[in-house]
Amino acid sequence: MYKVGITGGIGSGKSTVTRMLEGMGVAVYLSDDRAKELMARDGSLREKLIARFGEDTYVDGELNRRYLSERVFSNSEELAALNAIVHPAVMDDFDAWAEKQESPYVVIESAILFEAGLDGRVDCVVSVLAPRELRIERAMARDGVAREDVERRIANQMSDDERTNRSKYAIVNIILEDLEEDVEQLHRRLVYDSKPHNHTVDE
C-alpha cells in the first residue's frame, strides 16, 4: 500500500486538505486522534507510560492528560521520552491499518511528521502551507487563544521552507476554491505515483 504523509504548521489547513482527500474516497488515518485512543486502551503502551512517568499517568484506569501534559510541557527531554514510547506504537498501528484499506493510497495526517521521524515510514510527504498572518488568524479563531500563544507555537515548529525542502509535494492553502482544485490535482498525482511504473531506458 502506497503511504502518504500530510503535515503542516498550525493554521495551515492540513486537516482541510485531508478531509477533501477523504471525500474523494481516500482512506485517512489521523495520528493525533489514534495516539490518544492507543494511550487510553493499549495495555502494553499503558505499562510503558506508567514505568516512565509514574502511577499518576492513569487515574481510575483513564489517561491523566493534565498530569502528562504538565510533565512534558516546556520540558524537551520528557517530551522526547513520551514521543519515543508513543510514536512507534502509532506507526505500527498505522501500518496494520493501511494493509486493510482498499483505496489507491492511504494518508496519515501528523503535525509532527518530520519531528517524530515518521517521514521515514511513508512513501511520500505532502506539506500544506499558508502565509504566517493567515495561519495566526485561523488558529486564534479556531482555538480561541491569544495571538501570543499562536506565535509561540509557530516559533516552536519547523519552518515552512524546511518542510517544503523535505516534501515531495507542497500545497498552498489561501483561498478555498483554489485549494479544492489543487487537492484534486494532488489526488491525481498521488494515484499515479501509487501505481507501479515500468521505466524503460533508451539505449
Side-chain angles (χ1 to χ4, degrees):
M1 176 58 75
Y2 193 79
K3 297 167 184 170
V4 177
I6 291 190
T7 192
I10 182 172
S12 61
K14 61 185 174 300
S15 296
T16 304
V17 171
T18 303
R19 279 195 299 272
M20 287 178 177
L21 290 172
E22 195 169 28
M24 296 172 193
V26 179
V28 169
Y29 183 100
L30 303 175
S31 63
D32 291 351
D33 293 351
R34 195 65 187 132
K36 288 171 188 166
E37 287 178 32
L38 290 169
M39 288 165 77
R41 295 182 178 82
D42 186 293
S44 65
L45 192 55
R46 178 186 300 235
E47 287 172 15
K48 289 174 186 172
L49 289 168
I50 290 172
R52 177 61 178 79
F53 297 102
E55 294 292 335
D56 290 338
T57 308
Y58 290 83
V59 176
D60 297 328
E62 294 295 316
L63 182 67
N64 188 347
R65 295 191 192 286
R66 174 172 285 186
Y67 165 78
L68 203 54
S69 296
E70 287 171 356
R71 282 285 299 262
V72 304
F73 185 73
S74 72
N75 187 326
S76 57
E77 195 174 307
E78 293 280 78
L79 180 60
L82 176 64
N83 290 340
I85 294 170
V86 175
H87 290 151
V90 170
M91 288 313 293
D92 288 345
D93 183 68
F94 167 65
D95 288 340
W97 169 89
E99 292 310 312
K100 298 173 189 166
Q101 307 309 313
E102 296 182 352
S103 50
Y105 61 92
V106 295
V107 162
I108 178 169
E109 181 195 313
S110 173
I112 53 171
L113 192 84
F114 292 118
E115 293 89 336
L118 306 184
D119 54 311
R121 302 281 292 267
V122 297
D123 300 296
C124 164
V125 176
V126 178
S127 279
V128 183
L129 315 172
R132 188 173 187 275
E133 193 58 37
L134 183 56
R135 290 170 57 196
I136 292 170
E137 288 171 12
R138 285 173 179 163
M140 286 170 63
R142 182 190 67 198
D143 300 337
V145 293
R147 183 184 185 89
E148 295 73 30
D149 291 336
V150 181
E151 289 178 334
R152 196 179 307 119
R153 287 166 72 181
I154 288 176
N156 287 329
Q157 292 184 333
M158 182 180 286
S159 72
D160 277 357
D161 284 347
E162 187 176 352
R163 267 199 201 90
T164 304
N165 289 337
R166 294 176 64 178
S167 302
K168 182 168 186 179
Y169 299 117
I171 194 162
V172 178
N173 172 22
I174 299 176
I175 300 167
L176 191 61
E177 290 79 7
D178 292 344
L179 182 67
E180 287 169 349
E181 286 183 27
D182 290 343
V183 172
E184 284 178 13
Q185 187 176 9
L186 174 69
H187 175 58
R188 288 195 294 272
R189 284 179 176 172
L190 292 172
V191 169
Y192 176 83
D193 290 347
S194 69
K195 294 175 181 172
H197 302 287
N198 296 320
H199 296 288
T200 56
V201 179
D202 293 331
E203 294 296 331

